[in-house]
Amino acid sequence: MLLPILTEFILLAQTLHERSGTEIRARFNAESKKQISIGSLYPTLARMRERGWVKVRNSKDRDGRIRLFHITSEGRRLYNEVRANYAKMAAFPDAAVPSSVDPRGSA
């Protein structure tokens, strides 16, 4: 099974509700504290669409054409699976290091 890279996972989270590419980019930049360029965003969304993770709907607003992206059922299943795995990994250091050991390596 092909798993999303972190950028794709964050973009999947932004498509839980139908959003335009501009909205997705703004939310990605704000929530991840990273910047994604338009030149990276749309090819990544196209790749996610080819994999069946998101669907695209063309629409128009007063300024012209907009593309709206929304997660598919396969994308949601994958998102939930990866999210659960990230939660397990986040708990790992606490479970793996005895409380008497300093995780920074200091005595």
Side-chain angles (χ1 to χ4, degrees), residues 5 51 53-54 57 78 82 87 94:
I5 61 173
R51 293 176 179 162
W53 300 346
V54 297
R57 182 173 69 85
L78 182 66
V82 172
D94 293 336

Side-chain angles (χ1 to χ4, degrees), residues 55-99:
K55 58 187 173 185
V56 181
R57 182 173 69 85
N58 289 322
S59 185
K60 288 193 176 224
D61 65 3
R62 66 176 180 241
D63 297 325
R65 185 180 85 120
I66 59 171
R67 285 183 280 176
L68 300 169
F69 299 86
H70 193 242
I71 196 166
T72 63
S73 58
E74 173 61 17
R76 187 175 294 274
R77 184 199 61 74
L78 182 66
Y79 171 80
N80 288 335
E81 181 180 324
V82 172
R83 188 171 181 227
N85 286 337
Y86 278 136
K88 286 178 191 174
M89 288 189 302
F92 177 75
D94 293 336
V97 178
S99 60

Side-chain angles (χ1 to χ4, degrees), residues 2-17 19 24 27-28 31-32 34 36 41 44-45 47-48 51 53-54 71 74-89:
L2 187 63
L3 294 175
I5 61 173
L6 181 59
T7 297
E8 293 169 336
F9 177 74
I10 295 168
L11 290 173
L12 269 179
Q14 303 312 316
T15 65
L16 291 170
H17 300 283
R19 293 193 168 99
I24 291 170
R27 291 177 63 91
F28 178 95
E31 293 179 17
S32 71
K34 298 179 179 193
I36 188 166
L41 175 68
T44 303
L45 289 169
R47 190 171 50 251
M48 293 167 62
R51 293 176 179 162
W53 300 346
V54 297
I71 196 166
E74 173 61 17
R76 187 175 294 274
R77 184 199 61 74
L78 182 66
Y79 171 80
N80 288 335
E81 181 180 324
V82 172
R83 188 171 181 227
N85 286 337
Y86 278 136
K88 286 178 191 174
M89 288 189 302

